[in-house]
Amino acid sequence: MHFYKETIEVVDTAGIRRQRSVDETIEEMMVRTSFGAVRDADIVLLLIDAHEAQLAHQELKLASYVFEQGKALIIIRNKHDLVTDDIQEQWKYDTEEYEHLLRKIEVLTVSCKTGHNIGKILPLVKEVWERYTHNFSAAHLTMIFKDGLERTPLYHNKHRLKVFSAKQVGIKPLLIRLNVNEPEWFESSQQSFFENILRKDYNLKSVPVKFNLRRMFFD
C-alpha cells in the first residue's frame, strides 16, 4: 500500500476468539499467526466493535500485551453508527481499570458502514510512525530529567535518586539510557516518573517508552 509516496505493508490477522467459561492466557487467546504478526509489526491496529455494550476484558489485556512488547499501538473502535449514549457510558466504565494504558494510546472511533473517520486512519498511522522513530537530543533529555528530579526529588530508603545524564539509544520502541547513581533504586514506579516527564514535553501517544539503567562511575 502506498500513502504519501511511502510504502506501508499491512498484515491482516485472524480475529481473537472470545473468552468462554475459563480464564485464558494471552497465548490461548491469540492464534499463532497473530503472535507472529505482532512480533514482526511496527504499529499494531487493534480493531474492536464499539457497539458492544460491554467491552471484553481480553481485548484490553491484549492491548497491554502489545504495548509491553514495545510495539506502537492504535485502537480502532468500529461501528460508531451503532454506539448509543448507554454504550458510551459502558465503555468508560469498562476501561477504568486500563486508564493508565489508554491515556497513552490513540483511540479512533470509526464506522466502516458510513465511512466516519476512515480517512483519518492512515494519517494517524503516519503520525504515530514519526513519533515511534523520533530522535531526541541527549542534552534535552538530560535537562528535563534533571529538572524533574529537582522539582520532585525521589528517594530510596532516604537515599536520593540521581540522574547524571540521559541518552536515546534506540527507536521502535523508544529506548532511553539513564546514567544514574544506583540502577536498582529505579524501579517501575520511578521509571514511570521519567516517562511521564517525557510524555508531558512531547506527544508520544501510542508509542511505548522503555529505559535502560546504567550506574555512572567516577574516577
Side-chain angles (χ1 to χ4, degrees):
M1 177 184 294
H2 295 281
F3 180 70
Y4 284 114
K5 299 181 180 180
E6 297 182 23
T7 300
I8 301 175
E9 181 179 355
V10 179
V11 178
D12 188 20
T13 68
I16 306 303
R17 60 188 173 87
R18 288 290 184 183
Q19 186 179 35
R20 300 303 182 189
S21 59
V22 297
D23 289 335
E24 295 174 316
T25 64
I26 287 288
E27 290 80 3
E28 291 168 328
M29 286 160 43
M30 298 180 68
V31 295
R32 187 181 301 274
T33 54
S34 296
F35 259 127
V38 168
R39 184 177 59 250
D40 297 336
D42 290 312
I43 302 175
V44 174
L45 276 63
L46 180 60
L47 182 66
I48 63 177
D49 287 340
H51 79 292
E52 295 188 1
Q54 187 172 7
L55 182 72
H57 171 75
Q58 68 185 31
E59 291 174 312
L60 288 181
K61 185 177 179 183
L62 175 59
S64 296
Y65 170 82
V66 169
F67 211 60
E68 288 167 2
Q69 295 305 301
K71 305 300 181 179
L73 174 65
I74 301 171
I75 294 179
I76 307 292
R77 297 181 65 206
N78 188 25
K79 302 184 181 179
H80 166 78
D81 51 298
L82 301 178
V83 174
T84 64
D85 290 341
D86 287 342
I87 290 175
Q88 187 61 23
E89 285 302 313
Q90 186 67 48
W91 159 269
K92 293 178 181 178
Y93 175 79
D94 290 341
T95 58
E96 283 181 0
E97 178 184 350
Y98 292 88
E99 180 59 29
H100 67 287
L101 171 67
L102 290 176
R103 66 171 177 259
K104 301 178 184 179
I105 296 174
E106 297 282 6
V107 180
L108 182 63
T109 302
V110 306
S111 171
C112 291
K113 181 178 180 180
T114 67
H116 176 75
N117 279 345
I118 295 299
K120 293 183 179 180
I121 295 177
L122 287 181
L124 181 57
V125 168
K126 189 174 187 298
E127 288 178 23
V128 170
W129 172 256
E130 290 170 353
R131 300 169 196 169
Y132 198 40
T133 56
H134 185 77
N135 283 289
F136 295 90
S137 157
H140 185 66
L141 289 176
T142 300
M143 179 191 71
I144 63 173
F145 292 148
K146 282 188 171 183
D147 286 351
L149 280 179
E150 282 296 321
R151 292 191 301 270
T152 309
L154 301 180
Y155 294 89
H156 176 83
N157 292 337
K158 297 184 180 180
H159 297 288
R160 189 164 179 172
L161 275 62
K162 297 180 181 179
V163 171
F164 301 109
S165 63
K167 179 181 180 181
Q168 182 178 349
V169 293
I171 58 172
K172 303 188 302 181
L174 171 60
L175 178 61
I176 296 174
R177 176 182 297 153
L178 297 179
N179 292 314
V180 302
N181 51 344
E182 294 293 340
E184 61 270 19
W185 294 350
F186 290 73
E187 300 177 343
S188 59
S189 60
Q190 287 78 22
Q191 292 182 39
S192 293
F193 171 82
F194 294 106
E195 179 181 348
N196 291 336
I197 289 174
L198 188 61
R199 290 188 184 277
K200 184 176 180 180
D201 264 32
Y202 296 93
N203 180 2
L204 293 175
K205 290 197 78 171
S206 287
V207 175
V209 177
K210 296 183 178 293
F211 292 94
N212 173 266
L213 284 301
R214 177 176 291 185
R215 179 179 288 105
M216 176 68 82
F217 293 98
F218 296 96
D219 294 330

